[in-house]
Amino acid sequence: MNAEHFDIAIVGAGMAGSSLAAECAPHARVLLIEAEDTPGYHTTGRSAAFWHETLGGPKVYPLTSASGPWLAERGFLSPRGGLHFGREDHRDKAESFLAEFEAAGARVELIGRARLEEIVPGLRPEWIIGAWEPECADIDVAAMHQHYLAAARKAGSVLRVRARLDHAEHVGGGWSLAWSGAAGQGEARAALLVNAAGAWADPVAELAGAAPIGIQPLRRSMVQLRIDPAPPPTLPLTLSFDEDFYFRPQGDRLWLSPHDETPDVPRDAAPEELDIAMAIDRMEQAVEWKVLALERRWAGLRSFAPDRLPVYGFDPLREGLFWFVGQGGIGIQTAPAAARLGAQLLLGLPRDEMTHALDASFYTPARFTD
């Protein structure tokens, strides 16, 4: 079998891999290797994503902020609004939250009971304090992912699906790769190998002869409910200050999550009955809505590095291996800036307007070996 030759091989064609491929393909010959039948089958395809300035903390905020204009200009954002809410015992947490993110540059406003009642009809009386984020928006994840796949393809990248990486060896100044799956076997050579494998990041690293860095898949569950009254279309993304549940409207239905982060293993994740029951119970303690039907449920794996920041950069010990993983729950909303930064680091390209203010040292894999 004759092996094709590429400048870059990227393992994983979810949002991370496809966005990086789209940024790199105009400058290099790129191969995308995807184990599943369809790119984005796991985390990307199950995301209830939103552009949320405070999600991920102050060191993630620069990536989110830099990505916002790109997403808005291409029509991937729809106005939603975001709200953290709590009881009197959450006041200190609310004020700290406000101070932290105002300092980072996010628009956040502390609000009281009267405004909360306008935003969330049926809110129970003990919920009296909120942090309102007017810039929060829904993201059209499917359209965004297809945009990146199409851009990568148009620029000459090659996508191989049903291709689970079996072999990755660094020889002769490059990588010898082999895969197998329902579509058969394949081989390729590449100068650089990118690990964008999400929940499978550490196993892929070990396959490539690198040390794992502790990427932990955490299960996040979601349920779709029919409620009475139906959620108003203006209902924002609404999260408790305890971070133990959140909800948002989806048409005339409600999407509800227990905000769970259950350690799991790389797999096709499914929700647990207890997690769904807890989410409904917590919601019912906050609002006076009646649950009429539980219509569907699902779960996905969100993958985190030990310090919960994404990992972008060359492995300090394994030549030619580049990490692009650990995006947790922020991978969709930060993808434009992260992919641009990743391509610049990978190919030695200069910074531009989107990335000039980003501090790549926050995200380097070398931080786990220092």
Side-chain angles (χ1 to χ4, degrees):
M1 184 182 299
N2 292 324
E4 293 184 85
H5 287 252
F6 296 87
D7 300 308
I8 301 167
I10 300 175
V11 182
M15 189 66 78
S18 63
S19 60
L20 186 61
E23 290 289 346
C24 290
H27 311 282
R29 181 160 166 75
V30 177
L31 170 67
L32 265 174
I33 306 171
E34 170 56 50
E36 303 295 344
D37 293 356
T38 305
Y41 173 76
H42 291 286
T43 302
T44 297
R46 307 177 195 195
S47 174
F50 25 80
W51 188 83
H52 190 198
E53 287 184 291
T54 61
L55 187 65
K59 289 184 178 179
V60 168
Y61 170 78
L63 291 166
T64 303
S65 179
S67 298
W70 188 97
L71 292 166
E73 288 165 7
R74 287 158 182 79
F76 296 128
L77 298 183
S78 301
R80 170 62 55 199
L83 175 71
H84 279 78
F85 71 141
R87 302 175 298 270
E88 178 59 37
D89 56 305
H90 292 112
R91 187 169 296 276
D92 288 347
K93 186 178 289 187
E95 291 174 352
S96 296
F97 178 90
L98 185 75
E100 181 178 44
F101 284 101
E102 280 189 333
R107 284 185 61 194
V108 187
E109 175 189 355
L110 204 62
I111 62 174
R113 173 68 194 186
R115 181 79 174 102
L116 281 174
E117 288 178 342
E118 295 175 2
I119 296 172
V120 186
L123 191 65
R124 295 190 184 277
E126 61 269 30
W127 299 83
I128 62 170
I129 190 168
W132 172 244
E133 301 172 60
E135 302 298 329
C136 181
D138 295 337
I139 302 176
D140 189 337
V141 180
M144 181 181 168
H145 188 213
Q146 289 303 312
H147 169 90
Y148 274 129
L149 288 169
R153 182 173 61 250
K154 184 177 180 180
S157 71
V158 174
L159 171 64
R160 295 282 182 261
V161 295
R162 303 177 186 175
R164 188 169 299 278
L165 190 67
D166 298 320
H167 173 82
E169 183 181 6
H170 194 261
V171 290
W175 291 91
S176 174
L177 307 172
W179 60 84
S180 61
Q185 298 179 327
E187 295 180 357
R189 293 270 301 174
L192 299 171
L193 178 63
V194 176
N195 183 353
W200 286 261
D202 274 356
V204 166
E206 291 179 299
L207 185 65
I213 59 177
I215 298 294
Q216 174 64 62
L218 302 178
R219 189 175 67 247
R220 171 62 53 86
S221 307
M222 188 74 73
V223 60
Q224 178 173 296
L225 303 175
R226 183 161 54 88
I227 63 171
D228 183 29
T234 56
L235 187 71
L237 169 68
T238 306
L239 312 93
S240 77
F241 272 119
D242 283 333
E243 297 188 346
D244 57 358
F245 72 98
Y246 69 85
F247 53 77
R248 51 157 286 192
Q250 180 68 19
D252 61 355
R253 299 299 194 257
L254 190 79
W255 281 8
L256 169 70
S257 171
H259 215 281
D260 48 331
E261 291 190 343
T262 306
D264 212 321
V265 296
R267 61 170 180 152
D268 190 353
E272 300 286 343
E273 292 292 336
L274 180 59
D275 291 330
I276 299 303
M278 286 193 302
I280 294 174
D281 178 66
R282 291 165 183 168
M283 181 196 75
E284 290 180 332
Q285 292 181 43
V287 292
E288 297 172 346
W289 306 333
K290 183 179 180 180
V291 176
L292 301 178
L294 192 164
E295 296 185 330
R296 67 187 185 101
R297 68 196 78 189
W298 65 97
L301 298 178
R302 305 155 76 247
S303 303
F304 290 88
D307 60 2
R308 297 182 68 90
L309 291 176
V311 185
Y312 308 139
F314 281 103
D315 189 284
L317 302 176
R318 188 59 168 149
E319 184 181 353
L321 177 64
F322 189 92
W323 293 79
F324 199 68
V325 299
Q327 292 93 339
I330 54 89
I332 307 294
Q333 70 175 37
T334 62
R340 184 73 54 82
L341 176 65
Q344 290 164 354
L345 296 173
L346 183 58
L347 296 171
L349 301 172
R351 297 293 188 92
D352 61 8
E353 184 177 358
M354 183 186 286
T355 63
H356 71 91
L358 299 179
D359 187 346
S361 68
F362 290 163
Y363 318 121
T364 174
R367 68 189 191 267
F368 300 110
T369 58
D370 289 345

